[in-house]
Amino acid sequence: MQIRKLKLNEEPPMELLLLADPSRKFVDDYVKRGDCFIAEYDNEIKGVFVLLPTRPDTVELVNIAVAEDEQGKGIGRELVMNAIQFAKLKEYKIMEIGTGNSSIGQLSLYQKCGFRIIGVDRDFFIKHYSDEIYENGLQCRDMIRLAQDI
Ligand code: COA
């Protein structure tokens, strides 16, 4: 599998990006402002992540997704570790990530990759998303904020 930055003339893999974030408006905005990376195998895009500089020395992993039929095979972990390596090369000092209170698998993955919870943006998904989101039998209301020094 090859992980590389999307070229300027290439379309971002919208279907994958929307798996991680149902807001087309948010996705369009951060894909324009950030760096989009894709993971390819057999000439097909299997994964994506987007890095967005936020504050001095800080970059946020604002989107990460793996094609549904490829999930659970370690690609997500590889993408997170690749994002950290890229951010280190660019001399960022802190990486942040946010996920829903109901995103149990994602919370597990991010903590296994070294992130720690730093806060909760209460009612973020209620305030900013028009449709209600349910996962794992829970309503997604709050954004759990995680970070790590890199
Ligand atoms: N419950 C518990 N742990 C889970 C899990 C779940 N549902 N899903 C993943 N994990 C953990 C695994 O325990 C695994 O740890 P291990 O290697 O020690 O077994 C670790 O996360 C990595 O799993 P991996 O196979 O690399 O994850 P993946 O390739 O399926 O990618 C996502 C993870 C989240 C990127 C992928 O599931 C996805 O694209 N989901 C839809 C989009 C999305 O929700 N993006 C994130 C938005 S915040």
CSV table of all heavy atoms in Angstrom, one decimal, residues 19-20 64-66 71-77 98-99 105-106 108-110 112, ligand 1:
chain,number,residue,atom,x,y,z
A,19,LEU,N,-17.5,9.3,4.9
A,19,LEU,CA,-17.7,8.2,5.9
A,19,LEU,C,-17.3,8.6,7.3
A,19,LEU,O,-17.9,8.3,8.3
A,19,LEU,CB,-16.7,7.0,5.5
A,19,LEU,CG,-17.1,5.8,4.8
A,19,LEU,CD1,-16.0,4.8,4.8
A,19,LEU,CD2,-18.4,5.2,5.3
A,20,ALA,N,-16.3,9.5,7.3
A,20,ALA,CA,-15.7,10.0,8.6
A,20,ALA,C,-16.5,11.2,9.1
A,20,ALA,O,-16.5,11.5,10.3
A,20,ALA,CB,-14.3,10.3,8.5
A,64,ILE,N,-10.2,11.0,8.8
A,64,ILE,CA,-9.5,9.8,8.5
A,64,ILE,C,-10.5,8.7,8.2
A,64,ILE,O,-11.5,8.6,9.0
A,64,ILE,CB,-8.5,9.3,9.6
A,64,ILE,CG1,-7.9,8.0,9.3
A,64,ILE,CG2,-9.2,9.3,11.0
A,64,ILE,CD1,-6.6,7.6,10.1
A,65,ALA,N,-10.3,8.0,7.1
A,65,ALA,CA,-11.3,6.9,6.8
A,65,ALA,C,-10.6,5.8,6.0
A,65,ALA,O,-9.7,6.1,5.2
A,65,ALA,CB,-12.5,7.5,6.0
A,66,VAL,N,-11.2,4.6,6.2
A,66,VAL,CA,-10.7,3.4,5.5
A,66,VAL,C,-11.9,2.9,4.8
A,66,VAL,O,-13.0,2.8,5.3
A,66,VAL,CB,-10.1,2.4,6.4
A,66,VAL,CG1,-9.8,1.1,5.7
A,66,VAL,CG2,-8.8,3.0,7.1
A,71,GLN,N,-11.7,-2.3,6.4
A,71,GLN,CA,-11.6,-1.9,7.8
A,71,GLN,C,-11.2,-3.1,8.6
A,71,GLN,O,-11.5,-4.2,8.3
A,71,GLN,CB,-12.9,-1.3,8.3
A,71,GLN,CG,-13.1,0.1,7.7
A,71,GLN,CD,-14.4,0.7,8.1
A,71,GLN,OE1,-15.1,0.2,9.0
A,71,GLN,NE2,-14.8,1.8,7.5
A,72,GLY,N,-10.6,-2.8,9.8
A,72,GLY,CA,-10.2,-3.9,10.7
A,72,GLY,C,-9.0,-4.7,10.3
A,72,GLY,O,-8.7,-5.8,10.8
A,73,LYS,N,-8.2,-4.2,9.3
A,73,LYS,CA,-7.0,-4.9,8.9
A,73,LYS,C,-5.7,-4.1,9.2
A,73,LYS,O,-4.7,-4.4,8.7
A,73,LYS,CB,-7.1,-5.1,7.3
A,73,LYS,CG,-8.3,-5.9,6.9
A,73,LYS,CD,-8.2,-6.0,5.3
A,73,LYS,CE,-9.4,-6.7,4.8
A,73,LYS,NZ,-9.4,-6.6,3.3
A,74,GLY,N,-5.8,-3.1,10.0
A,74,GLY,CA,-4.6,-2.4,10.4
A,74,GLY,C,-4.3,-1.1,9.6
A,74,GLY,O,-3.3,-0.4,9.8
A,75,ILE,N,-5.1,-0.9,8.6
A,75,ILE,CA,-4.9,0.3,7.7
A,75,ILE,C,-5.1,1.6,8.5
A,75,ILE,O,-4.3,2.5,8.3
A,75,ILE,CB,-5.7,0.3,6.4
A,75,ILE,CG1,-5.4,-1.0,5.6
A,75,ILE,CG2,-5.5,1.5,5.6
A,75,ILE,CD1,-6.3,-1.2,4.4
A,76,GLY,N,-6.1,1.7,9.3
A,76,GLY,CA,-6.4,2.9,10.0
A,76,GLY,C,-5.2,3.3,10.9
A,76,GLY,O,-4.7,4.4,10.9
A,77,ARG,N,-4.7,2.3,11.6
A,77,ARG,CA,-3.5,2.5,12.5
A,77,ARG,C,-2.3,3.0,11.7
A,77,ARG,O,-1.6,3.9,12.1
A,77,ARG,CB,-3.2,1.2,13.3
A,77,ARG,CG,-2.1,1.4,14.3
A,77,ARG,CD,-1.6,0.1,14.8
A,77,ARG,NE,-2.4,-0.5,15.8
A,77,ARG,CZ,-2.1,-0.5,17.1
A,77,ARG,NH1,-1.0,0.2,17.5
A,77,ARG,NH2,-2.9,-1.1,18.0
A,98,GLY,N,-10.3,15.1,17.0
A,98,GLY,CA,-11.6,15.1,17.7
A,98,GLY,C,-12.5,14.0,17.2
A,98,GLY,O,-12.5,13.7,16.0
A,99,THR,N,-13.3,13.4,18.1
A,99,THR,CA,-14.2,12.3,17.6
A,99,THR,C,-15.4,12.3,18.5
A,99,THR,O,-15.4,12.9,19.6
A,99,THR,CB,-13.5,10.9,17.6
A,99,THR,OG1,-14.3,10.0,16.8
A,99,THR,CG2,-13.2,10.4,18.9
A,105,GLY,N,-14.8,2.7,18.7
A,105,GLY,CA,-13.6,2.1,18.0
A,105,GLY,C,-12.6,3.2,17.7
A,105,GLY,O,-11.4,2.9,17.9
A,106,GLN,N,-13.0,4.3,17.3
A,106,GLN,CA,-12.1,5.4,17.0
A,106,GLN,C,-11.4,5.9,18.3
A,106,GLN,O,-10.2,6.1,18.2
A,106,GLN,CB,-12.9,6.6,16.4
A,106,GLN,CG,-13.4,6.4,15.0
A,106,GLN,CD,-14.7,5.6,15.0
A,106,GLN,OE1,-15.1,4.9,15.9
A,106,GLN,NE2,-15.4,5.5,13.8
A,108,SER,N,-10.7,4.1,20.8
A,108,SER,CA,-9.7,3.0,21.1
A,108,SER,C,-8.5,3.2,20.2
A,108,SER,O,-7.3,3.2,20.7
A,108,SER,CB,-10.4,1.7,20.8
A,108,SER,OG,-9.5,0.6,20.7
A,109,LEU,N,-8.7,3.3,18.9
A,109,LEU,CA,-7.6,3.4,17.9
A,109,LEU,C,-6.7,4.6,18.3
A,109,LEU,O,-5.5,4.5,18.4
A,109,LEU,CB,-8.2,3.6,16.5
A,109,LEU,CG,-7.2,4.1,15.4
A,109,LEU,CD1,-6.1,3.1,15.2
A,109,LEU,CD2,-7.9,4.3,14.1
A,110,TYR,N,-7.3,5.8,18.5
A,110,TYR,CA,-6.5,7.0,18.8
A,110,TYR,C,-5.7,6.9,20.0
A,110,TYR,O,-4.5,7.3,20.1
A,110,TYR,CB,-7.4,8.3,18.8
A,110,TYR,CG,-8.2,8.4,17.5
A,110,TYR,CD1,-9.4,9.0,17.6
A,110,TYR,CD2,-7.7,8.0,16.3
A,110,TYR,CE1,-10.2,9.2,16.4
A,110,TYR,CE2,-8.5,8.1,15.1
A,110,TYR,CZ,-9.7,8.7,15.2
A,110,TYR,OH,-10.4,8.9,14.1
A,112,LYS,N,-4.6,4.0,21.3
A,112,LYS,CA,-3.6,3.1,21.0
A,112,LYS,C,-2.4,3.7,20.2
A,112,LYS,O,-1.3,3.3,20.3
A,112,LYS,CB,-4.1,1.9,20.2
A,112,LYS,CG,-4.9,0.9,21.1
A,112,LYS,CD,-5.5,-0.2,20.3
A,112,LYS,CE,-6.2,-1.2,21.2
A,112,LYS,NZ,-6.9,-2.3,20.4
B,1,COA,N1,-14.0,-1.3,18.7
B,1,COA,C1,-12.9,-1.4,19.4
B,1,COA,N2,-11.6,-1.1,18.9
B,1,COA,C2,-11.6,-0.8,17.6
B,1,COA,C3,-12.7,-0.7,16.8
B,1,COA,C4,-14.0,-0.9,17.4
B,1,COA,N3,-15.1,-0.8,16.7
B,1,COA,N4,-12.3,-0.4,15.5
B,1,COA,C5,-10.9,-0.3,15.6
B,1,COA,N5,-10.5,-0.6,16.8
B,1,COA,C6,-9.1,-0.6,17.3
B,1,COA,C7,-8.7,-2.0,17.1
B,1,COA,O1,-8.6,-2.6,18.4
B,1,COA,C8,-7.3,-1.9,16.5
B,1,COA,O2,-6.4,-2.2,17.5
B,1,COA,P1,-5.4,-3.4,17.4
B,1,COA,O3,-4.5,-3.2,16.2
B,1,COA,O4,-4.7,-3.4,18.7
B,1,COA,O5,-6.3,-4.6,17.2
B,1,COA,C9,-7.1,-0.4,16.2
B,1,COA,O6,-8.3,0.2,16.5
B,1,COA,C10,-6.7,-0.2,14.8
B,1,COA,O7,-7.6,-0.8,13.9
B,1,COA,P2,-7.5,-0.7,12.3
B,1,COA,O8,-7.8,-2.0,11.7
B,1,COA,O9,-6.1,-0.1,12.0
B,1,COA,O10,-8.6,0.3,12.0
B,1,COA,P3,-9.4,0.5,10.6
B,1,COA,O11,-8.5,0.2,9.4
B,1,COA,O12,-10.7,-0.2,10.6
B,1,COA,O13,-9.6,2.1,10.6
B,1,COA,C11,-11.2,3.8,11.1
B,1,COA,C12,-10.2,2.7,11.6
B,1,COA,C13,-11.8,4.5,12.2
B,1,COA,C14,-10.4,4.8,10.2
B,1,COA,C15,-12.2,3.1,10.2
B,1,COA,O14,-13.0,2.2,10.9
B,1,COA,C16,-13.2,4.0,9.4
B,1,COA,O15,-12.8,4.5,8.3
B,1,COA,N6,-14.3,4.3,10.0
B,1,COA,C17,-15.3,5.1,9.4
B,1,COA,C18,-14.9,6.6,9.3
B,1,COA,C19,-14.6,7.1,10.7
B,1,COA,O16,-15.3,6.9,11.6
B,1,COA,N7,-13.5,7.9,10.8
B,1,COA,C20,-13.1,8.5,12.0
B,1,COA,C21,-13.9,9.7,12.3
B,1,COA,S1,-13.4,10.4,13.9
